Amino acid sequence: MANSPIQLSLQTAGQSPPLSAQAPSSLTPPVTPIAKERPPRSTPSPFQNLAKQTSISKDNAGTLQFTDDLEICQDENNRPAEFGRGVWSIVYKARSLPRPQTNLPGTPPSSPTSRSQVLAVKAPLRRDARPVLKAEASTLTRLTFTQGHEHYIVPFHGYSAELSALVMTAVPSSLALYIEEQSQLARTRRPATATMFDPVQGPASYQELARKLIAGLNWLHQVAGVVHGDIKPHNILLRPIDTDECSENPEFPYEPLFADFSATVDIPTADAPLDTTRASMPSFTPPFTAPEMLASLTSTEMAPTPASDVFSLAATLLATATGDLLLYPNMNHRLRLEMARAGHQIVDFARSGMNGSRVPRNGFVERIVKPAVVKDPAMRITTPDWVELASA
């Protein structure tokens, strides 16, 4: 007999209503939704042992709380459906169930607070991951209450103290999957000299994507005042843009949203010292990590900076142009790490690969990437100047 869906009733202390969501990375923990790999059957689900969990955080002041009930969806094998998992966390597919409201005698029933919708629930796989997710919930709360957030980050619904989990809107795809799809499409097309120097998705679509991503990073740095700390194609989600018959179809029909803020730190100010507590997370993914960060993996005083974010996004844009998700395909891990440590040569490395013709000299890709990957972090382009360059 098939098992019925697991229904979870969340008792949360927060009074804030749910606002407006994350998705995958198999490369670094914690992950965010959307992954192709099926988890091993031998790994237990935290929801299967939910009744045994007794450690519930009581210090959630200032963090947006999730107030509805949750129903975890099941896959074809009657197991909790997953979007992805990593060393630290697992992301479940779920639905929200508005909690019935209690009405005083003689008063008409009120309408539900929210309608059922597909959610991504990011839960810890290990006990030591709980404080990491709690800190990420605090970051997402602050970002959610920052003007303009709806255009640049995953929609966040709140934190479940009972599950130590983040509740977000499920976004259907990631930039990593998009790169793989576009690369596959490019391989199936007949060879054409006219397009061999273009990004795999086409020049107009690529330029619009680049402008949107750079604008998003500029918002994180200049408006939200944070460094993401782990930018890569797996941590950028793609939300389809709704269009109607009266509007033009955009060249790039998605809104890229930054996800996975587990390594995020505040940009230091004169009265706020550098926070290195979140930088100890093993969230480094060559070749998307800035070389100065790779050179300081053993340091406890090193934290990501705006310049390292700029490098990571530039590497992401380079991978998007070539269609090579790992940037240096056909390389073993040791060689890829050595090339990543010489990251200021990343354009030359990519140009020497199989798809190097898609990064022509003085073309848009080179012009947008080169000033963001110079060796000295202090000399890299800043996001306001980068926005202007991408729009030129």
Side-chain angles (χ1 to χ4, degrees), residues 116-385:
S116 176
Q117 58 181 305
V118 179
L119 300 172
V121 178
K122 183 178 179 180
L125 271 176
R126 299 162 26 173
R127 183 174 296 274
D128 55 352
R130 294 178 182 177
V132 175
L133 294 187
K134 182 181 174 184
E136 185 176 355
S138 177
T139 296
L140 281 168
T141 297
R142 289 193 295 118
L143 295 179
T144 297
F145 284 98
T146 302
Q147 185 176 7
H149 70 93
E150 63 274 8
H151 301 297
Y152 303 117
I153 67 169
V154 295
F156 176 59
H157 290 266
Y159 176 70
S160 165
E162 184 176 359
L163 303 177
S164 300
L166 310 178
V167 182
M168 300 153 290
T169 295
V171 180
S173 186
S174 71
L175 183 58
L177 294 180
Y178 178 80
I179 292 172
E180 291 180 333
E181 292 168 359
Q182 294 300 310
S183 179
Q184 179 63 32
L185 286 174
R187 286 194 294 268
T188 60
R189 299 189 192 106
R190 294 180 61 185
T193 305
T195 60
M196 65 181 294
F197 300 105
D198 295 335
V200 291
Q201 70 192 87
S205 176
Y206 177 83
Q207 290 176 26
E208 186 170 330
L209 169 61
R211 286 192 290 267
K212 288 180 177 180
L213 284 173
I214 293 170
L217 185 61
N218 184 62
W219 179 86
L220 284 175
H221 290 180
Q222 303 298 323
V223 180
V226 298
V227 175
H228 183 281
D230 192 19
I231 294 175
K232 58 189 175 186
H234 306 75
N235 288 343
I236 297 171
L237 310 184
L238 301 180
R239 179 171 60 195
I241 296 176
D242 292 330
T243 58
D244 53 41
E245 295 179 357
C246 298
S247 60
E248 295 184 14
N249 291 326
E251 295 290 348
F252 183 72
Y254 300 96
E255 207 167 24
L257 306 173
F258 288 98
D260 195 342
F261 292 88
S262 56
T264 299
V265 298
D266 292 339
I267 295 177
T269 60
D271 55 350
L274 180 67
D275 178 13
T276 60
T277 57
R278 303 279 288 278
S280 60
M281 288 289 300
S283 55
F284 300 101
T285 308
F288 300 102
T289 301
E292 67 271 14
M293 297 297 296
L294 292 174
S296 306
L297 291 180
T298 60
S299 172
T300 59
E301 299 299 322
M302 187 67 177
T305 65
S308 65
D309 264 2
V310 166
F311 180 96
S312 296
L313 184 56
T316 296
L317 290 172
L318 194 58
T320 305
T322 62
D324 295 324
L325 187 55
L326 294 178
L327 266 177
Y328 312 134
N330 304 320
M331 299 282 182
N332 60 40
H333 177 73
R334 184 184 64 81
L335 289 176
R336 190 177 293 118
L337 181 59
E338 289 302 316
M339 297 172 79
R341 285 173 172 158
H344 62 286
Q345 302 179 62
I346 191 171
V347 173
D348 295 329
F349 292 153
R351 190 175 282 135
S352 64
M354 291 182 57
N355 294 318
S357 65
R358 300 190 182 277
V359 191
R361 297 188 184 279
N362 301 317
F364 179 84
V365 177
E366 183 185 66
R367 292 199 308 270
I368 209 73
V369 170
K370 263 207 165 179
V373 297
V374 295
K375 188 172 185 179
D376 183 357
M379 300 301 294
R380 287 178 198 148
I381 193 169
T382 60
T383 54
D385 292 338

